[in-house]
Amino acid sequence: SLSNAFYKEDLINFEKKIYNYLNENINFDYSVEPKIDGVSASLTYKNKKLKYGVSRGDGKVGEIITENLKTIKDIPIQINDENFPDEIEIRGEVFINKKDFTKFKDKFANPRNAASGTLRQKNPNETKKIPLKFIAYTFGYIQGEPHKYQSEFLNDLKKWGFKINEDNKILPNINELIKFHKKFESKRFNLDYDLDGLVYKVNSIKLQNRLGFTSNAPRWAIAHKFSADSANTKVLNIDIQVGRTGALTPVAKVEPVNIGGVVVSNATLHNEDEIKRKDIRLGDIVKIERAGDVIPHVIEVDKTKRNKNSKVFIFPTNCPSCGSKTIKEYNKTTKKYDAVRRCLNDGYGCEKIAIEKLKHFISKEALNIDGLGKKVIENFWDLNLIKKPQDIFNLNYEKIKNLEGWGELSVNNLKKSIENSKTVSLQKFIYSIGIRHIGIENAKLLSENTKNISTFIEKVKKKQIDDFLNIDGIGETQVNSIKSFFSNQANKKVLNELEQVLVIKDAVQNLDNGLLQNKTFL
């Protein structure tokens, strides 16, 4: 993923961080490339032939879609240029032109969905029927790394037979980036492809290598998003949704409206304070924007069109799911109360929290169980088939076979997926149980520290959770969250029962014999 910029200040901070990291005053250019709104794909060539192609997936694990990618005319199967590396991984974007999409608009919501759905088809002959395009823009690996600049690599891509974006530029500074962005934004709707911004990369590959990556994004690149599309519509209702961590999130149900080619019927209201600040009420005419061309949210209310009898929206102080008390937590760092109100019924006592915990447990980054999606979880919950994570491994498959939409084959596939998911890494397991403030990176830190599930459980049972404060990257917020999670008996029971049914692999240790192995630094 790339970090996002929306304003000039974001770009200034981005460049400031680069200089701080390099710790020297050095001149560099930016490679500017349009950010096409498509599907990322990676092509690996060995001995000048396309060996395999994969989708980005979750950023670490993708799907092998080689045969589907071979149907795209923009992707060379064999490259005869003598300067082409013996081994290289080329990355780019698969997309559909707006003009071509008009032929398929009844089947897909937008061009991006069409590209994604087409690439995931089992039959390449079906993929061949859709006029997919491919734009190459970077490399993941290149033998020898012969290029000094991103722009130099892009020129070579063109020589090798790949399509690159004709609007790519080299610009020297932030002011020039902003001028180009403004100019490009004004013509974006006249282009025959969807895009949601421009990508700026430090042009020097040597500097890119020095800057490296954070846990989420490269330090040397940023996506400068375009202004969001907006439209006016009416608020029909305000729903309060309860998330996995108990957060109560208000969502406006609005009269469906088309914003930038997407029909929007829901818009986030963020939290209780935002509703009060903007004074949003039922029946109001509001302006809705798709922030970053993705998440619809309410910008403002047209109070001139408000009904005289409208009433101020009263945010519930009790959980709409289980009726438990809700609170706003006090943040010791900011010395303020959080804007988000939360249900106190942690564990599996609140239906909405429990369902969201189950969805988290089977998500891609967690156990990643094929065939057991969010809708299936909701359905199985209503049928009392699944109430806790451990129930997944004790399903009544005979009962499922008789359900609408299920049959012998689909049930067998589900059973196989569940069996496969029983072997899981310690990192994914810690993440999957859904402790607040313990995301993928923190789960990794905990797994590397405890090394195996036995040690992790022992620390929980012996109340040695404070030991985690010694881990670089884990602070009081995370430790208090772990304590709170395991003070709930239902969560303890889930942990114990899952340990019995799953094969939780020890954390993999890096055994490379590097020059600095066994050295101590003070």
Side-chain angles (χ1 to χ4, degrees), residues 311-463:
K311 296 178 180 178
V312 173
F313 180 78
I314 306 298
F315 204 91
T317 53
N318 290 83
C319 175
S321 171
C322 66
S324 297
K325 183 184 174 184
T326 64
I327 62 161
K328 289 185 176 183
E329 294 176 347
Y330 184 74
N331 190 315
K332 291 180 181 177
T333 306
T334 62
K335 295 183 169 44
K336 292 179 181 177
Y337 284 94
D338 288 345
V340 176
R341 189 174 284 278
R342 294 182 188 276
C343 171
L344 289 175
N345 196 350
D346 196 8
Y348 291 81
C350 175
E351 179 178 328
K352 293 296 182 186
I353 291 178
I355 292 171
E356 293 306 314
K357 277 177 174 282
L358 288 165
K359 289 177 183 176
H360 177 81
F361 185 75
I362 54 94
S363 64
K364 267 190 175 182
E365 294 82 6
L367 265 68
N368 191 20
I369 304 175
D370 283 338
L372 195 62
K374 293 179 180 180
K375 293 291 182 187
V376 177
I377 286 288
E378 289 173 2
N379 188 23
F380 283 7
W381 174 278
D382 292 337
L383 295 167
N384 290 318
L385 289 167
I386 297 176
K387 293 293 181 181
K388 303 273 178 68
Q390 56 267 38
D391 297 339
I392 291 169
F393 306 100
N394 194 29
L395 280 172
N396 185 338
Y397 293 108
E398 290 304 316
K399 187 174 180 179
I400 295 170
K401 280 179 189 175
N402 298 319
L403 298 176
E404 186 180 345
W406 290 89
E408 190 83 34
L409 181 61
S410 56
V411 167
N412 285 339
N413 287 339
L414 175 62
K415 191 174 182 180
K416 187 178 176 183
S417 294
I418 290 172
E419 284 300 313
N420 290 339
S421 74
K422 282 184 177 180
T423 300
V424 62
S425 68
L426 178 59
Q427 174 188 333
K428 284 199 167 193
F429 175 74
I430 293 172
Y431 173 75
S432 75
I433 55 179
I435 307 169
R436 188 178 164 207
H437 298 302
I438 303 299
I440 296 169
E441 291 303 317
N442 282 337
K444 183 180 178 183
L445 293 174
L446 290 170
S447 69
E448 287 172 349
N449 178 265
T450 54
K451 295 184 173 55
N452 55 62
I453 188 62
S454 301
T455 306
F456 181 77
I457 289 176
E458 187 180 354
K459 284 189 179 291
V460 168
K461 285 182 177 176
K462 291 185 177 179
K463 297 184 178 178

Side-chain angles (χ1 to χ4, degrees), residues 98 184-193 195:
K98 292 177 186 175
F184 207 82
E185 185 169 17
S186 64
K187 71 170 190 175
R188 64 184 280 213
F189 296 109
N190 299 323
L191 298 171
D192 195 27
Y193 56 86
L195 75 164

Side-chain angles (χ1 to χ4, degrees), residues 472-500:
D472 187 20
I474 300 291
E476 283 189 22
T477 300
Q478 288 78 20
V479 165
N480 289 337
S481 188
I482 296 169
K483 284 179 181 176
S484 173
F485 184 87
F486 289 113
S487 67
N488 186 292
Q489 291 304 315
N491 289 332
K492 278 186 181 177
K493 188 179 179 186
V494 167
L495 178 69
N496 291 333
E497 292 193 23
L498 286 174
E499 189 205 1
Q500 301 302 316

